[in-house]
Amino acid sequence: MSKGYWVVAWKSISDPAAVARYVAPATEAIVANGGRVLAGGEPARFYEQGAASRVVIVEFDSLQRAIDAYEHPAYQATLVHLVGAAERDVRIIEGAAS
């Protein structure tokens, strides 16, 4: 079974304090739903249409777990902190079969 991944690109942050309030409960909800944060931060380099914005990659044991975690009420409740505070591009993708 292939793993599932969240790939989150932060497009803009207009309220860093609100984003800071999001991080702890969101991480708790992600971990409680089987997620493992593999990487997060500003890019060391970006090319082509890339942007100098924060990126986060979260791994799950399966694509369905990744989808279920994002849709879980505990995670959805954390998104209230980002309303009007940040814009993100969140994609859930299936890992390559090994």
Side-chain angles (χ1 to χ4, degrees), residues 18-19 21-22 25 74-86 88:
V19 172
R21 288 190 299 272
Y22 156 84
Y75 182 72
Q76 287 295 305
T78 70
L79 297 178
V80 68
H81 298 294
L82 301 182
V83 174
R88 307 182 309 159

Side-chain angles (χ1 to χ4, degrees), residues 21-44:
R21 288 190 299 272
Y22 156 84
V23 171
T27 302
E28 183 178 313
I30 290 166
V31 170
N33 282 282
R36 293 169 295 285
V37 178
L38 298 181
E42 303 292 325

Side-chain angles (χ1 to χ4, degrees), residues 21-86:
R21 288 190 299 272
Y22 156 84
V23 171
T27 302
E28 183 178 313
I30 290 166
V31 170
N33 282 282
R36 293 169 295 285
V37 178
L38 298 181
E42 303 292 325
R45 295 270 194 278
F46 52 95
Y47 301 98
E48 299 179 32
Q49 299 298 315
S53 63
R54 180 175 178 76
V55 176
V56 178
I57 301 171
V58 183
E59 180 182 65
F60 294 85
D61 289 338
S62 70
L63 178 61
Q64 191 58 54
R65 294 262 337 238
I67 294 168
D68 292 345
Y70 186 85
E71 294 176 352
H72 193 279
Y75 182 72
Q76 287 295 305
T78 70
L79 297 178
V80 68
H81 298 294
L82 301 182
V83 174

